[in-house]
């Protein structure tokens, strides 16, 4: 098995690389410890909006040049936002690996959030919101988070609200990044048939010049779980249900026991207690997850 390699730059950015001699394709990405849980009430949806806007212009590239940079050599550029992180990543043939690293650096640290692109992207995100509302399987999880976490940022919808998305300005993005970007909480992850020395060389070349920075806004802890129920009525033929509550931290010593118990009671396995009762015995449902 190929070994994992680690390196930390002087500014705190960490490099994780896994060699893979069996593939001509390399994958790499920057993962930032910033997500929707870092938003204040008036910022709901800002992290996700930022993810969209990095493709719209930097100090040296317009939107077309960003999108064409890797597409023109058969590569792919993409991104995603979660409650706790934003990731910008690329997939390319190994010979174009440096191009991917350079482009990821550019969109992550040099975005300019052009005003005309900002106005167009509002409409795109509003359409994305409507798409998720039209998908009960997706919107159920957002409703569930709201029930569990209430008014805490973990309860916010990652997409935000239409009210907030319509009001964001360029300065909102710059301020959010300034408050939450922390170079010690950035990881450059890489997989491919690339010598680790070369990975470190590219990292030093493109990330090494990023000024060391600490976040100035602390993440709000969540300690206020209160049992709650919520029912949402929609004009559809099926009912969907989610059951759960807060759990132990990821480093909890008995976490594996908890995972096994969860799978036994209601996990995705066909022999879970919930699946046997609702599908096999009663025939009420198609799937239990």
């Amino acid at each position: 098995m190929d070994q994992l390699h680690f390196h930390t730059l002087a500014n705190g950015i960490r490099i994780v690389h896994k060699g893979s001699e069996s593939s001509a394709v390399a994958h790499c990405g920057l993962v930032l410890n910033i997500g929707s849980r870092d938003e204040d009430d008036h910022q709901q949806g800002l992290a996700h909006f930022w993810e969209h806007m990095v493709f719209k212009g930097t100090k040296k590239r317009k939107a077309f040049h960003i999108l064409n940079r890797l597409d023109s050599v058969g590569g792919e550029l993409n991104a995603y936002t979660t409650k706790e992180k934003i990731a910008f990543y690329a997939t390319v043939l190994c010979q174009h690996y440096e191009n991917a690293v350079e482009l990821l650096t550019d969109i992550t640290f040099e975005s300019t959030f052009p005003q005309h692109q900002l106005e167009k992207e509002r409409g795109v995100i509003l359409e994305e919101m409507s798409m998720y509302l039209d998908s009960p399987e997706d919107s159920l999880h957002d409703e569930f988070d709201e029930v569990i976490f209430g008014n805490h940022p973990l309860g916010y919808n990652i997409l935000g609200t239409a009210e907030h998305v319509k009001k964001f300005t360029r300065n909102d993005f710059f301020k959010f990044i300034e408050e939450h970007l922390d170079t010690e909480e950035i990881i450059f992850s890489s997989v491919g048939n690339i010598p680790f020395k070369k990975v470190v060389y590219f990292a030093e070349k493109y990330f090494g010049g990023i000024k060391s920075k600490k976040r100035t806004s602390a993440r709000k802890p969540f300690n206020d779980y209160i049992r709650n129920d919520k029912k949402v009525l929609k004009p559809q033929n099926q009912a969907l249900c989610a059951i759960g509550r807060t759990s132990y931290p990821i480093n909890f010593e008995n976490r594996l026991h908890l995972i096994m118990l969860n799978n036994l009671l209601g996990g995705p396995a066909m022999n879970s207690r919930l699946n046997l009762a609702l599908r096999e015995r009663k025939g009420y449902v198609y799937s239990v997850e």
Side-chain angles (χ1 to χ4, degrees):
M1 181 180 293
D2 294 312
Q3 185 179 358
L4 283 173
H5 302 274
F6 303 90
H7 180 76
T8 302
L9 303 181
N11 56 18
I13 296 177
R14 288 169 286 171
I15 315 301
V16 182
H17 176 70
K18 186 176 188 298
S20 176
E21 297 180 358
S22 60
S23 176
V25 175
H27 309 272
C28 59
L30 282 162
V31 183
L32 286 62
N33 189 28
I34 306 173
S36 61
R37 71 167 298 174
D38 296 300
E39 298 166 351
D40 291 328
D41 179 71
H42 67 281
Q43 296 174 323
Q44 291 185 48
L46 189 59
H48 173 256
F49 208 147
W50 171 20
E51 174 216 316
H52 277 237
M53 287 301 298
V54 299
F55 302 100
K56 303 305 177 182
T58 67
K59 292 178 180 179
K60 66 179 182 181
R61 286 185 173 95
K62 295 183 178 180
F64 172 79
H65 301 106
I66 293 173
L67 299 176
N68 189 57
R69 176 67 165 158
L70 299 184
D71 277 7
S72 62
V73 294
E76 179 186 8
L77 178 68
N78 214 329
Y80 64 86
T81 307
T82 72
K83 301 277 185 179
E84 298 190 323
K85 65 178 178 288
I86 296 176
F88 309 114
Y89 61 95
T91 303
V92 291
L93 292 172
C94 290
Q95 59 261 41
H96 302 299
Y97 182 84
E98 182 177 3
N99 290 349
V101 178
E102 186 276 329
L103 181 61
L104 288 170
T105 307
D106 194 31
I107 66 173
T108 303
F109 301 106
E110 303 294 340
S111 288
T112 55
F113 309 101
Q115 186 63 42
H116 67 288
Q117 294 283 7
L118 180 62
E119 298 305 329
K120 289 193 293 187
E121 205 61 24
R122 290 188 208 277
V124 173
I125 293 177
L126 293 174
E127 285 297 318
E128 187 177 356
M129 289 179 181
S130 298
M131 180 184 73
Y132 276 93
L133 290 175
D134 287 341
S135 175
E137 293 86 353
D138 292 322
S139 59
L140 171 70
H141 295 287
D142 293 326
E143 297 283 355
F144 182 66
D145 283 349
E146 184 179 337
V147 170
I148 295 294
F149 298 110
N151 292 324
H152 187 275
L154 284 171
Y156 297 164
N157 190 314
I158 293 173
L159 301 181
T161 68
E163 176 187 3
H164 291 101
V165 168
K166 291 177 181 178
K167 294 179 180 179
F168 292 143
T169 68
R170 294 179 69 238
N171 286 336
D172 290 325
F173 294 102
F174 292 122
K175 181 180 178 182
F176 185 73
I177 295 170
E178 177 63 26
E179 290 178 349
H180 297 288
L181 188 69
D182 190 325
T183 49
E184 292 186 2
E185 296 182 359
I186 298 175
I187 291 177
F188 176 68
S189 177
S190 170
V191 179
N193 189 14
I194 312 290
F196 184 56
K197 288 185 178 180
K198 185 172 287 188
V199 174
V200 173
Y201 170 77
F202 291 143
E204 293 281 4
K205 179 178 180 180
Y206 295 107
F207 308 143
I210 303 299
K211 185 178 178 180
S212 180
K213 188 182 180 309
K214 296 291 291 183
R215 68 162 65 215
T216 59
S217 181
R219 206 167 244 180
K220 299 175 184 176
F222 177 76
N223 301 306
D224 304 318
Y225 171 75
I226 299 175
R227 184 191 179 280
N228 195 10
D229 301 300
K230 182 177 181 179
K231 182 184 290 185
V232 178
L233 299 178
K234 293 185 178 182
Q236 61 191 54
N237 296 325
Q238 290 183 322
L240 297 107
C241 176
I243 304 172
R245 59 154 297 158
T246 54
S247 185
Y248 301 107
I250 194 170
N251 56 354
F252 177 61
E253 61 180 5
N254 290 327
R255 65 190 182 281
L256 297 181
H257 302 79
L258 178 64
I259 292 171
M260 291 180 65
L261 177 62
N262 183 68
N263 285 339
L264 176 68
L265 296 177
M270 294 292 286
N271 65 343
S272 73
R273 299 294 188 267
L274 197 61
N275 189 80
L276 289 174
L278 296 183
R279 176 172 180 166
E280 300 302 326
R281 293 177 191 156
K282 300 294 185 180
Y284 289 157
V285 301
Y286 170 66
S287 66
V288 176
E289 296 181 358

